[in-house]
Amino acid sequence: MARVDEVKEFIGFLKAVFITAIVIMSSLVAYLYKQPIDNNITVLIALVLDIVVIIGLYKRILKEIKSLRNLK
């Protein structure tokens, strides 16, 4: 039973990181909306990297949730 609780805690941690990444992404989009895009190549790169992180976290969370089926 301890393994199930450990996986659940890890999923909770990943969800917190996932939400933080979404907040960062929305802040970057808001910044780009307010500022001209001409000089913001670093912000665009950060936005793309953040999107990649979000997709990776989403896939990892789903993988961990599916692994719970095998533990019960």
Side-chain angles (χ1 to χ4, degrees):
M1 193 66 175
R3 176 74 177 135
V4 173
D5 292 335
E6 182 181 331
V7 171
K8 285 182 181 179
E9 288 293 324
F10 185 62
I11 291 170
F13 171 74
L14 288 177
K15 287 186 339 186
V17 174
F18 181 76
I19 291 169
T20 304
I22 289 176
V23 168
I24 291 170
M25 183 185 69
S26 64
S27 297
L28 290 172
V29 169
Y31 177 79
L32 284 175
Y33 182 75
K34 289 267 191 184
Q35 302 295 325
I37 295 179
D38 300 335
N39 299 327
N40 290 326
I41 190 72
T42 56
V43 176
L44 288 173
I45 292 171
L47 184 61
V48 169
L49 289 175
D50 193 43
I51 290 170
V52 169
V53 168
I54 289 171
I55 292 170
L57 284 170
Y58 181 75
K59 288 181 179 181
R60 181 70 189 260
I61 290 169
L62 290 179
K63 179 182 164 191
E64 292 295 326
I65 289 172
K66 287 180 182 178
S67 75
L68 281 175
R69 285 189 212 153
N70 299 334
L71 295 177
K72 287 188 177 182

